[in-house]
Amino acid sequence: MKLHLTTLTAVLALGTSVAFAEEVRVYNWSDYIDEELLSKFEEETGITLIYDVFDSNEVLETKMLAGGSGYDVVVPTADFLQRQITAGAFQKLDKSQLANHNNMWDVIENRTAQYDEGNAYSINYMWGTTGLGLNVKKVKEVLGEDAPINSLELILQPENMEKLAKCGVYFLDAPTEIIPLTLKYLGENPDSNDPEVIAKAEGPLMAVRPYITKFHSSEYINALANGEICVAVGWSGDVLQARDRAAEADNGVEIAYNAFTEGSLMWFDQMAIPIDAPNPKGAHVFLNFIMDAQNMAAASNYVYFANGNKASQEFLEEDVIGDTAIYPDEETVKNLYTKSPYPSKVQRVVTRLWTKVKSGT
Amino acid sequence: MRRFFLIAVPFVWLLVLFLVPFLIVLKISLSDAALARPPYTPHFEWAEGIWAFFSQLDFENFVFLTSDSLYWKAYLSSLQIAVISTFLTLLIGYPIAYGMARAPEEWRPTLMMLVILPFWTSFLIRVYAWMGILSKEGLLNQFLLWSGIINEPLVILNTNTAVYIGIVYTYLPFMILPIYAALDRMDGSLIEAAEDLGCSRLTAFWLVTVPLSRNGIIAGCFLVFIPAMGEFVIPSLLGGSRTLMIGKVLWEEFFSNRDWPVASAVAVVLLLILIVPIMLFQRNQQKQAEAEQ
């Protein structure tokens, strides 16, 4: 938000002098880029960059489906992207304008092709896993030394959660993340679109519901860093950002990220160009800029998420490329699973279940 | 001719800003959801003639609202929150308005300014400020812990209590201003007359002041009740996940389910619920205007 305001003021200030400067409008997740890259883009290309942020796929999707969002580049997660492609929300990329496209990593491209056939509409920006953000010291104080700090049992067994409630637990407010992991815990197929299977997630979630402090998809970064909570179900890089903020604040809070040994959800955030983008040419320039090996490496070094750019890996810092929480080892990768989008009738079942879990109604 | 233009202005205003948007929402509420841009398929075309239009009307989205207890529970819970916060606002707002109206003449503009002053800051920032005050590590808890009144921090943020605080705080000026206007116009000699005739100060207040400020009270209550009923921002920022309000349900339908038709049906029903108090309010205003002539 701060970033958004500063760029906005900068743009307003610029706007008076160069009223007809070319603009690119980018809509990305909050806390998801090194701000220096934004000014670097403006310096290199002379294009004015307007950078806005969101923290939920639902908000982005509604803008895409309504049309006329005015954005040139948006960053939906792959399962949402797939549905929006079907709805006709995006335009095909013109690869001839993307000279850096050969930097992309085939391992990730093969996986994202499940959502976007031939990667025709999108490029991968970041990918990661959904797991546990932990204040390990506090968790062990509450649950003892042998606390299951890398297992779904930590957050889905009521007896663990009852004790953890004292120090605070946040869950992502994202049914498309929490329901698959609950199904995984039950030994069901996490990618199931069968309403009867999905309904099974209700029991365990309702049982731990009284001990969940809050459902939120971005506040947990600060809450973990401040020591306000001891467990968050969150996205890998966000937890690692919390770890760094706590270290910077030097407040004695130590945060760690663990994927689930039972298997974690793997997700991909994809950059795409809306069908009605005002400046598709500028959008391609932005995508090409992001795909530059050094720029992409700078972004990953800053936000602690892995990227889908093979060439960037030589510029990654050791605490990024060498950290298995960010770039998991072979063994963990095998254990990761992905989620395809819910059909709309099933989506209603999922949302209704989620409302029930959150509000008890 | 001049008279015609004078009447036409408010009518055009209502037509463009109320009737047309309402008809669009109504049209979407009678459509089917679809994976498209925009995400619904119209159920009927205006062009096919009036009979085709009526025979195609499909109320399945409204029927759907009755099939799940979530919706009426959310309407009821919103109603409860709106009624209680209107009452609390009146309880706090009346004494403030009374004090302002009884204050020395030269103070009144300053007091009035103080009531309006919060509007100079964005509503969103003021609600965020409450998050800072009410949170576990917030100012209120720090003060109470420091002064020794409590030993454990109170959990206020993310509960219904925080929602009530937010609504009462935000809408208080809308209660104070009409009541103040009514009390300010009141003839002070009426109280003297009541006291001369043997009323105690309290009885005079109940028998003279309160009835004379009735219109202000009614106006204030409607100005608080109507927006509080559909409130979305305050419960989503200050409320917990257990705070069930229709504004939030509408958001979920619109954003999570991508079901614009059902979301529109929820909005149409909300409007029907609100139209009753709005019409009562209008009638009250009209009667007041007539009484003054």
Side-chain angles (χ1 to χ4, degrees):
Chain A
M1 204 58 194
K2 193 184 81 211
L3 172 64
H4 168 190
L5 288 176
T6 40
T7 13
L8 201 70
T9 21
V11 166
L12 285 176
L14 271 174
T16 46
S17 53
V18 268
F20 298 106
E22 191 184 353
E23 285 179 351
V24 172
R25 292 167 186 264
V26 177
Y27 198 39
N28 197 356
W29 291 82
S30 53
D31 299 304
Y32 215 28
I33 204 162
D34 180 356
E35 294 174 32
E36 279 173 26
L37 279 176
L38 305 179
S39 39
K40 187 179 171 199
F41 174 79
E42 291 192 327
E43 275 163 32
E44 274 182 18
T45 62
I47 299 175
T48 306
L49 181 64
I50 296 167
Y51 190 83
D52 290 346
V53 296
F54 59 90
D55 84 336
S56 106
N57 265 310
E58 284 78 11
V59 170
L60 171 64
E61 181 152 286
T62 303
K63 277 190 197 284
M64 287 303 105
L65 296 181
S69 67
Y71 290 110
D72 298 303
V73 176
V74 296
V75 193
T77 306
D79 48 337
F80 283 81
L81 171 92
Q82 182 176 9
R83 191 165 39 220
Q84 290 154 29
I85 291 174
T86 319
F90 297 116
Q91 52 183 277
K92 281 197 174 168
L93 300 179
D94 177 3
K95 301 257 164 90
S96 69
Q97 293 181 49
L98 301 173
N100 290 330
H101 199 276
N102 49 13
N103 287 343
M104 298 308 283
W105 189 8
D106 54 343
V107 174
I108 297 302
E109 289 221 301
N110 288 341
R111 295 207 180 212
T112 57
Q114 292 169 20
Y115 302 96
D116 171 11
E117 212 184 325
N119 292 293
Y121 292 89
S122 66
I123 61 155
N124 179 254
Y125 177 58
M126 301 275 179
W127 58 272
T129 55
T130 306
L132 289 169
L134 300 160
N135 186 330
V136 180
K137 207 171 76 189
K138 269 196 187 171
V139 171
K140 289 194 168 165
E141 265 174 33
V142 175
L143 287 179
E145 278 302 313
D146 51 352
I149 53 167
N150 49 14
S151 167
L152 287 164
E153 288 173 10
L154 185 78
I155 48 157
L156 289 173
Q157 273 186 358
E159 53 273 30
N160 290 336
M161 283 291 283
E162 192 178 352
K163 292 176 192 153
L164 290 172
K166 271 176 273 171
C167 59
V169 180
Y170 271 33
F171 270 42
L172 287 172
D173 187 5
T176 51
E177 306 261 353
I178 303 295
I179 289 174
L181 72 82
T182 312
L183 293 177
K184 189 81 188 172
Y185 171 72
L186 293 172
E188 298 283 348
N189 173 15
D191 195 17
S192 176
N193 285 334
D194 178 353
E196 280 179 31
V197 175
I198 290 167
K200 290 183 186 169
E202 186 184 328
L205 286 174
M206 288 307 257
V208 297
R209 172 65 189 89
Y211 313 118
I212 297 169
T213 318
K214 193 169 188 178
F215 292 92
H216 202 282
S217 301
S218 54
E219 278 179 11
Y220 65 93
I221 303 182
N222 278 329
L224 274 175
N226 297 340
E228 225 174 284
I229 59 171
C230 60
V231 175
V233 179
W235 292 307
S236 43
D238 283 357
V239 172
L240 298 171
Q241 285 180 53
R243 176 192 68 186
D244 273 30
R245 285 189 199 173
E248 272 168 33
D250 203 16
N251 54 4
V253 174
E254 275 178 53
I255 303 298
Y257 174 80
N258 283 340
F260 299 109
T261 45
E262 294 91 338
S264 275
L265 179 74
M266 187 185 195
W267 47 260
F268 309 88
D269 284 341
Q270 302 288 106
M271 285 192 162
I273 305 177
I275 189 98
D276 52 5
N279 183 3
K281 196 160 163 286
H284 280 89
V285 174
F286 183 81
L287 292 188
N288 202 45
F289 173 84
I290 284 293
M291 283 190 289
D292 174 82
Q294 295 200 26
N295 293 341
M296 199 59 235
S300 278
N301 285 334
Y302 188 85
V303 300
Y304 292 110
F305 279 107
N307 63 55
N309 194 309
K310 181 79 179 161
S312 76
Q313 292 182 2
E314 63 169 302
F315 302 107
L316 289 176
E317 278 160 24
E318 189 46 40
D319 70 337
V320 175
I321 186 89
D323 189 341
T324 50
I326 305 174
Y327 282 90
D329 51 57
E330 290 285 318
E331 203 50 41
T332 319
V333 171
K334 266 188 224 151
N335 230 349
L336 298 176
Y337 59 89
T338 52
K339 176 78 198 83
S340 55
Y342 291 115
S344 49
K345 291 277 176 215
V346 182
Q347 179 67 48
R348 175 165 282 288
V349 174
V350 167
T351 311
R352 185 64 187 88
L353 173 61
W354 194 240
T355 310
K356 194 167 183 181
V357 169
K358 286 203 298 176
S359 68
T361 306
Chain B
M1 200 57 190
R2 217 174 120 213
R3 195 183 148 81
F4 172 77
F5 274 114
L6 277 176
I7 298 173
V9 171
F11 269 98
V12 169
W13 177 271
L14 272 178
L15 186 77
V16 173
L17 293 176
F18 179 76
L19 196 62
V20 171
F22 175 73
L23 287 177
I24 294 173
V25 170
L26 189 66
K27 176 175 182 266
I28 299 176
S29 76
L30 298 172
S31 314
D32 284 330
L35 189 52
R37 252 169 35 106
Y40 61 90
T41 47
H43 225 275
F44 47 84
E45 293 299 330
W46 300 104
E48 287 170 20
I50 201 86
W51 275 117
F53 168 71
F54 280 111
S55 62
Q56 280 172 6
L57 283 185
D58 179 356
F59 294 97
E60 67 171 336
N61 293 317
F62 292 91
V63 175
F64 178 76
L65 294 189
T66 61
S67 69
D68 192 331
S69 63
L70 172 71
Y71 300 99
W72 63 261
K73 277 184 184 159
Y75 283 119
L76 277 184
S77 151
S78 296
L79 197 65
Q80 185 194 343
I81 290 177
V83 168
I84 295 179
S85 26
T86 307
F87 179 71
L88 291 175
T89 317
L90 178 63
L91 219 58
I92 299 169
Y94 199 95
I96 297 178
Y98 188 80
M100 282 168 66
R102 292 287 165 276
E105 193 85 44
E106 66 271 21
W107 281 29
R108 287 186 204 169
T110 320
L111 290 172
M112 181 74 126
M113 200 63 200
L114 286 174
V115 172
I116 300 172
L117 204 63
F119 286 115
W120 289 15
T121 317
S122 154
F123 157 69
L124 207 56
I125 290 174
R126 283 181 284 135
V127 177
Y128 261 97
W130 275 107
M131 291 172 78
I133 296 170
L134 298 176
S135 78
K136 214 163 117 189
E137 325 265 308
L139 291 174
L140 182 67
N141 271 319
Q142 277 179 10
F143 174 75
L144 291 176
L145 285 170
W146 169 80
S147 61
I149 297 173
I150 52 168
N151 296 321
E152 287 274 307
L154 297 174
V155 179
I156 305 175
L157 190 64
N158 302 330
T159 65
N160 278 0
T161 315
V163 177
Y164 286 124
I165 292 174
I167 293 181
V168 169
Y169 164 77
T170 308
Y171 293 114
L172 196 57
F174 296 107
M175 184 63 87
I176 295 176
L177 294 177
I179 297 179
Y180 169 74
L183 289 174
D184 191 40
R185 265 185 309 200
M186 209 179 91
D187 190 345
S189 54
L190 290 173
I191 298 282
E192 282 170 31
E195 283 176 9
D196 286 348
L197 292 171
C199 271
S200 70
R201 293 198 73 162
L202 197 66
T203 348
F205 174 76
W206 278 115
L207 292 179
V208 179
T209 314
V210 172
L212 281 174
S213 58
R214 207 196 69 167
N215 285 326
I217 295 173
I218 293 174
C221 285
F222 281 120
L223 285 176
V224 175
F225 175 80
I226 293 168
M229 179 83 191
E231 187 55 60
F232 168 70
V233 175
I234 297 172
S236 57
L237 290 179
L238 300 179
S241 45
R242 283 175 186 274
T243 312
L244 190 65
M245 284 191 82
I246 201 65
K248 255 174 135 181
V249 170
L250 210 150
W251 195 95
E252 297 259 296
E253 286 300 337
F254 197 73
F255 286 89
S256 303
N257 288 344
R258 292 173 296 281
D259 197 332
W260 291 21
V262 168
S264 304
V266 171
V268 170
V269 172
L270 179 63
L271 190 86
L272 292 178
I273 294 176
L274 286 179
I275 235 165
V276 177
I278 290 172
M279 283 173 53
L280 285 173
F281 176 59
Q282 286 290 352
R283 246 188 46 197
N284 174 61
Q285 291 288 65
Q286 242 166 22
K287 263 173 44 191
Q288 192 185 343
E290 278 162 19
E292 272 166 24
Q293 280 174 2

